[in-house]
């Protein structure tokens, strides 16, 4: 929730958000802080400008303009005045704080031998608000469970469609057991590379990810999946945002070992993803059982389509059955 990030906001910005209507605050999914530019909050697909007294304004000239000191203070609060300890995260362009909130940063890149060494003069920060929404995966779960078996599934969506929130709720339910369906709780292995699914603090999850879940926090996906296969005997491995060649290889390894995989990827549909290197091979070779496709139209969190991969059957389509909006955050 937004209130959980107030401690890392500069006091001036925190006071502005405290003045905003609670009904609006509950809808905020991102906060954009840019040097010498207006303070922006994102509500799903809509951006709003924050005024000098916390009001919503339409004219940029009436908005609160962030100053470099706001960004400097924000980074100091996030890093607890030890930015050096976050150098590795800064090279990745983001880091995750307590509660699973992801902080994206941009600024001047310092290069060394053709590689990014560091970022300095941070000029933009994007705070992505993590939310825990119990039950947001209810409509999806019937398509992931066949009898007592879990279907290996790829959740496909553009950014800001709620896939991480949905993935977290899937983990919780399949770990605890889906009592309205013939699915007892199973052993779940989570590779939480960005610390967003479980939002661990000192190895302990701060999100509810069920009673049968084991977590590798901050571990690269490919390494973590192979570690879980060897050490934890999971029924299903869950991870977020596939992208690299080694990720695709690790998914193959898990599936060949008889372990289900539930994961996500950025894209608009399976056809678009099939043209991407590495991950596209998993699509073309039909490694998954289900594609779960989310969209941000007509609004964020719309379950657009569910496809049974084996025979290309469309199990669900909002165009035919009416839109179902998953009430999820990021």
């Amino acid at each position: 929730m937004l209130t959980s990030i107030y401690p890392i906001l500069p006091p001036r910005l925190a006071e502005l958000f405290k003045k905003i209507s609670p009904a609006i605050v509950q809808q905020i999914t991102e906060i954009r802080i840019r040097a010498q530019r207006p303070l922006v909050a994102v509500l799903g697909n809509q951006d709003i400008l924050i005024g000098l007294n916390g009001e919503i304004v339409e004219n940029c000239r009436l908005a609160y303009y962030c100053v470099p000191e706001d960004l400097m203070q924000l980074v100091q609060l996030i890093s607890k005045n030890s930015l050096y300890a976050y150098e590795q995260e800064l090279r990745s362009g983001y880091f995750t704080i307590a509660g699973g909130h992801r902080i994206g940063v941009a600024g001047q890149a310092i290069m060394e031998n053709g590689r990014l060494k560091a970022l300095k003069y941070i000029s933009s920060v994007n705070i992505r608000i993590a939310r825990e929404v119990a039950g947001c995966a209810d409509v999806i779960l019937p398509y992931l469970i066949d009898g007592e078996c879990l279907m290996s599934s790829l959740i496909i969506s553009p950014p800001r469609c709620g896939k991480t929130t949905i993935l977290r709720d899937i983990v919780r339910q399949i770990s605890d057991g889906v009592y309205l369906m013939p699915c007892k709780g199973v052993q779940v292995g989570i590779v939480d590379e960005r610390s967003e699914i479980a939002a661990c603090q000192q190895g302990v999850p701060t999100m509810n990810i069920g009673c049968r879940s084991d977590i590798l926090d901050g571990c690269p996906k490919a390494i973590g999946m192979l570690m879980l296969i060897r050490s934890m005997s999971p029924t299903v491995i869950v991870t977020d945002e596939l992208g690299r060649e080694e990720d695709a290889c690790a998914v193959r390894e898990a599936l060949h070992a008889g372990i289900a995989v539930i994961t996500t990827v950025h894209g608009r549909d399976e056809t678009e993803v099939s043209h991407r290197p590495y991950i596209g091979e998993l699509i073309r070779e039909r490694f998954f059982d289900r594609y779960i496709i989310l969209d941000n139209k007509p609004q964020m969190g719309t379950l657009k389509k569910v496809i049974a991969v084996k025979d290309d059957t469309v199990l669900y389509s909002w165009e035919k059955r009416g839109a179902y909006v998953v009430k999820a955050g990021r």
Side-chain angles (χ1 to χ4, degrees):
M1 300 298 290
L2 186 60
T3 54
S4 66
I5 69 162
Y6 287 162
I8 61 97
L9 288 177
R12 171 61 177 156
L13 298 189
E15 287 302 315
L16 290 177
F17 282 101
K18 289 176 183 177
K19 294 178 181 178
I20 299 174
S21 162
I24 293 176
V25 166
Q26 290 177 2
Q27 301 177 58
I28 293 176
T29 55
E30 296 181 3
I31 297 173
R32 302 270 183 165
I33 303 168
R34 301 177 173 103
Q36 309 297 357
R37 283 173 287 174
L39 178 62
V40 175
V42 179
L43 289 69
N45 294 323
Q46 176 189 7
D47 294 348
I48 60 173
L49 304 178
I50 309 301
L52 297 174
N53 295 304
E55 73 279 20
I56 297 172
V57 299
E58 295 184 1
N59 192 322
C60 288
R61 289 177 294 179
L62 300 177
Y64 174 82
Y65 271 67
C66 304
V67 296
E69 287 77 13
D70 288 330
L71 288 155
M72 184 181 303
Q73 192 172 16
L74 174 69
V75 172
Q76 289 172 343
L77 287 168
I78 292 170
S79 66
K80 300 177 182 178
N81 293 309
S82 181
L83 193 57
Y84 176 79
Y86 286 83
E87 277 191 353
Q88 179 61 45
E89 287 88 346
L90 286 173
R91 281 196 290 270
S92 300
Y94 72 91
F95 44 92
T96 306
I97 63 171
H101 310 296
R102 190 196 294 187
I103 313 293
V105 295
Q108 182 177 343
I110 306 299
M111 306 298 293
E112 184 177 84
N113 298 323
R115 301 183 65 181
L116 179 64
K117 179 182 179 182
L119 278 177
K120 70 174 184 177
Y121 303 130
I122 293 173
S123 57
S124 296
V125 170
N126 178 25
I127 303 174
R128 299 178 62 185
I129 310 299
R131 283 183 170 82
E132 192 170 31
V133 184
C136 68
D138 285 357
V139 72
I140 294 174
L141 281 167
Y143 302 107
L144 305 188
I145 298 170
D146 185 4
E148 295 188 2
C149 296
L150 284 170
M151 302 286 98
S152 290
S153 303
L154 182 63
I155 301 172
I156 304 170
S157 90
R160 292 161 53 175
C161 285
K163 61 181 179 299
T164 303
T165 307
I166 293 167
L167 188 66
R168 185 184 301 121
D169 195 53
I170 290 172
V171 168
R172 177 185 67 83
Q173 296 205 51
I174 63 177
S175 174
D176 283 343
V178 186
Y179 298 109
L180 297 179
M181 302 178 64
C183 180
K184 300 177 181 178
V186 299
Q187 306 300 325
V188 182
I190 304 170
V191 186
D192 200 359
E193 183 170 0
R194 297 177 174 87
S195 302
E196 292 183 297
I197 300 172
C200 288
Q201 290 295 299
Q202 297 182 339
V204 178
T206 61
M207 298 288 193
N208 184 357
I209 41 80
C211 63
R212 297 178 179 86
S213 296
D214 303 301
I215 307 159
L216 281 173
D217 181 54
C219 181
K221 287 181 282 293
I223 295 173
M225 283 188 271
L226 297 178
M227 287 177 64
L228 288 172
I229 292 169
R230 290 192 292 265
S231 63
M232 301 307 295
S233 301
T235 302
V236 58
I237 290 177
V238 175
T239 189
D240 206 2
E241 297 187 15
L242 296 181
R244 298 184 291 265
E245 180 180 12
E246 53 267 34
D247 297 342
C249 291
V251 168
R252 284 192 181 90
E253 191 79 18
L255 294 175
H256 286 316
I259 299 169
V261 174
I262 300 175
T263 186
T264 70
V265 67
H266 283 141
R268 296 209 169 270
D269 54 37
E270 75 284 2
T271 302
E272 180 178 290
V273 176
S274 71
H275 296 300
R276 292 176 54 181
Y278 315 127
I279 307 306
E281 294 176 10
L282 299 177
I283 300 285
R284 295 191 295 272
E285 297 173 22
R286 297 174 178 263
F287 271 87
F288 292 97
D289 300 310
R290 297 285 187 270
Y291 299 139
I292 309 296
I293 301 173
L294 306 177
D295 203 353
N296 52 20
K297 297 176 182 177
Q299 57 185 294
M300 186 183 75
T302 297
L303 176 59
K304 183 177 180 181
K305 191 178 293 185
V306 179
I307 299 172
V309 177
K310 183 177 180 179
D311 54 9
D312 294 319
T313 300
V314 177
L315 302 177
Y316 175 91
S317 170
W318 77 266
E319 293 172 341
K320 295 181 179 180
R321 304 188 185 183
Y324 180 89
V325 177
V326 179
K327 294 180 179 179
R330 174 170 49 79

